[in-house]
Amino acid sequence: MIYIILTYLFSPLIYLLTIAKKKKPISKILVIQTAKIGDLICSTPVFREVKKKYSDARLSVMINPLNRQLLEYNPNVDEIISLENGFYKGLVGKMLLIKLIYNGRYDIAITLNPNVPFVIAMFWSLIPVRISIMPDFKGFTYKIASKFCTYLERHIRGRLVAETYLEMLKFIGIDSKDVAKDVFKSPDADEKIERVLASSLKPRAPSLFIGIAITSGNRLKEWGAENMAFLSDRLIAELGVKIALIGSEKDIDISDKILKNMHHRDAVIDVVGKFSLSVLPALIERLSLLIGVDTGIIYMADALNIPVIDIAGPSDMEDQRPTGEKAIIIQKNFACVPCSHTFKAPYVCSYLNRKCITDITVEEVFEIASLLLSK
C-alpha cells in the first residue's frame, strides 16, 4: 500500500513529466501478459492487431518465462521479456519493475493482467498511454491504483475476455473483432515430431490419432488418471485409435498412473515432458482430436483448428473457451458452476467434492468423441 500512497503524492510531478512525451511518434509498445499458457494463447489476437496497426513500432511482450517458447516464433512479437515469479515482491521489487519498464522507453503500455504493481509501474515509467482492464472481480486497492491509467476497459460477464482485450485497443485506434488465436512452431518442429512418430507408430501411422491432455495447472480441474486411462482404453479397443499422452515434465507422475491403469499400453505414445511448447504444435497438427480438461493445450489445439473436447468442470466458459467450429464443451449445470473465472481462479472446491468435474463420466466423453470422429 505504501507505493500507492507514494504514487499519489508524486502524481502531479509524474503527470508533468509524462506530458512532455505525448507528442512523440509511437515507436515502442509494451503488452504485459504473465498468466498461464491458455491465457497467453488467447491474448495473441492483441499482438497481431497491434502489429497490424503499428507495423513500424517495436512490440515487446512481458510474460512468464515458462511460456517463452510460445512466442519465440510469433512474427508479431519483436521482443520477449521474461518476468520471473516474485520479481516485484516488496517495495524494492516494485522499484525494480518500474526501472525495467522505464528503461524500455515505451509510448504505449497495455497490461492484460489487472494487477496493481503493473498499473503503478506503467505510470512511474512515464508512459503516455497506459491501458488496462477493470475486471469483473476487483479489489479496493486495484480500484484506487487504476486511476493512474489513461484508459480502462471494463470486462463484462458473458463476454469473452479476448473480446474485452480487443475493445481495449479501440483507445489506440484499433477496431477489430477477430479473436482467432495464433500458435507458431519452431522451424525444426516437424522433423522432431516425425522422428518420434516414425519409431512409435509401427507399422504405419494410424488413421485416427487422438491426443489426451492429461492434466491442468489448476488441480481443481483434474478429471483423474483413472478416467483418462479408462477412456483411452475404450477409444483404442472400440475405435482402433492410437493415443498420445500430452503434458509437461511435472505431469510425468500422472502419465505413469494412467499407463498403469491401462490394458492397451502398446497403442499409447507417452510424450509427456518430451516436447517444448515451440515443438508441440507440430504434434497437435497431426491429431484427429484432442481431449482434455480446460487447459492451455486445449487452446493450442483450438488455435490450430483441431477438434477438441473440453472437459470444462468449474471453468467459466463465458470468459474463455475454445471457439472453433470443431470444439465441444462438456460441463455440468450445477448452481456453483462456474466458480473458476479468468480474473478469479480458486484452487480448492468450496464444497470439497468437485462434483462439477467428477460427475462427468467416461461414457459421456466417449460418446462425444465417437460422434466427432465419425464426421
Side-chain angles (χ1 to χ4, degrees):
M1 194 67 175
I2 183 66
Y3 53 93
I4 296 179
I5 296 171
L6 288 172
T7 303
Y8 268 93
L9 288 173
F10 284 93
S11 60
L13 175 61
I14 296 171
Y15 277 120
L16 284 172
L17 293 172
T18 304
I19 287 171
K21 296 183 64 178
K22 285 190 176 181
K23 295 180 181 179
K24 179 184 172 185
I26 295 170
S27 61
K28 290 186 175 183
I29 300 172
L30 172 67
V31 178
I32 303 172
Q33 175 53 288
T34 60
K36 295 177 181 177
I37 294 172
D39 298 300
L40 183 58
I41 292 173
C42 291
S43 302
T44 53
V46 173
F47 314 146
R48 181 183 64 243
E49 299 305 319
V50 166
K51 199 63 178 176
K52 192 183 297 182
K53 171 71 175 179
Y54 298 98
S55 56
D56 294 332
R58 180 177 176 82
L59 176 60
S60 302
V61 182
M62 186 176 287
I63 62 168
N64 185 313
L66 296 175
N67 295 337
R68 187 178 186 87
Q69 291 175 335
L70 279 173
L71 296 186
E72 281 186 332
Y73 302 96
N74 189 320
N76 301 311
V77 177
D78 298 303
E79 180 188 25
I80 302 170
I81 303 169
S82 297
L83 193 69
E84 296 287 347
N85 286 334
F87 176 84
Y88 51 84
K89 187 177 180 181
L91 185 58
V92 172
K94 289 170 180 62
M95 291 172 66
L96 290 173
L97 178 64
I98 292 169
K99 181 181 178 182
L100 176 65
I101 296 177
Y102 176 80
N103 287 341
R105 302 294 195 273
Y106 302 108
D107 306 299
I108 299 173
I110 305 164
T111 177
L112 306 181
N113 303 115
N115 173 308
V116 173
F118 291 150
V119 168
I120 296 296
M122 292 191 307
F123 182 59
W124 277 92
S125 299
L126 309 182
I127 300 172
V129 180
R130 305 172 301 280
I131 305 173
S132 188
I133 293 177
M134 180 56 72
D136 42 347
F137 298 95
K138 58 184 180 296
F140 177 71
T141 307
Y142 179 76
K143 193 172 181 179
I144 296 173
S146 66
K147 301 293 184 183
F148 297 108
C149 291
T150 50
Y151 180 73
L152 280 171
E153 178 64 38
R154 186 174 296 277
H155 177 58
I156 302 166
R157 293 295 305 280
R159 180 170 72 181
L160 285 172
V161 171
E163 292 174 332
T164 298
Y165 293 160
L166 293 180
E167 286 295 315
M168 294 168 68
L169 300 184
K170 287 183 177 180
F171 185 74
I172 54 173
I174 299 171
D175 190 359
S176 172
K177 296 187 182 302
D178 185 4
V179 296
K181 300 175 285 294
D182 295 322
V183 170
F184 299 92
K185 60 190 175 185
S186 63
D188 62 349
D190 287 305
E191 181 185 345
K192 289 181 177 179
I193 294 298
E194 284 298 333
R195 194 181 308 131
V196 171
L197 297 187
S199 62
S200 303
L201 297 177
K202 295 179 179 179
R204 59 185 175 83
S207 58
L208 294 176
F209 188 25
I210 297 180
I212 304 289
I214 65 173
T215 185
S216 165
N218 186 344
R219 299 306 192 197
L220 176 63
K221 302 176 183 179
E222 292 292 338
W223 195 41
E226 287 190 358
N227 282 334
M228 293 292 188
F230 296 156
L231 175 64
S232 299
D233 263 339
R234 191 165 177 191
L235 289 167
I236 294 165
E238 298 188 29
L239 301 182
V241 307
K242 294 284 187 179
I243 298 284
L245 298 182
I246 303 171
S248 67
E249 193 171 350
K250 63 182 177 57
D251 303 323
I252 291 175
D253 59 330
I254 297 174
S255 66
D256 289 342
K257 289 178 184 176
I258 291 172
L259 290 168
K260 285 177 182 177
N261 279 285
M262 287 188 65
H263 299 293
H264 301 286
R265 289 185 287 271
D266 56 333
V268 176
I269 305 171
D270 183 4
V271 297
V272 173
K274 293 180 181 176
F275 295 125
S276 69
L277 291 172
S278 61
V279 173
L280 201 54
L283 172 67
I284 291 176
E285 285 175 333
R286 289 160 169 76
L287 298 177
S288 310
L289 171 67
L290 180 73
I291 303 172
V293 295
D294 192 61
T295 187
I297 303 304
I298 288 286
Y299 292 94
M300 181 180 285
D302 190 51
L304 295 168
N305 201 33
I306 299 300
V308 299
I309 297 176
D310 187 338
I311 304 171
S315 301
D316 189 341
M317 292 288 101
E318 291 188 336
D319 264 3
Q320 194 161 275
R321 64 179 177 273
T323 55
E325 293 181 359
K326 304 172 185 176
I328 301 293
I329 296 166
I330 303 178
Q331 191 165 46
K332 294 297 182 181
N333 187 24
F334 292 130
C336 58
V337 173
C339 70
S340 182
H341 311 275
T342 299
F343 301 119
K344 183 184 179 184
Y347 285 81
V348 178
C349 174
S350 298
Y351 297 96
L352 304 178
N353 56 28
R354 297 195 312 116
K355 284 180 68 65
C356 63
I357 192 80
T358 58
D359 275 19
I360 295 172
T361 66
V362 170
E363 178 69 25
E364 287 178 83
V365 181
F366 176 80
E367 290 299 326
I368 293 172
S370 299
L371 181 63
L372 281 173
L373 293 170
S374 69
K375 296 179 179 180

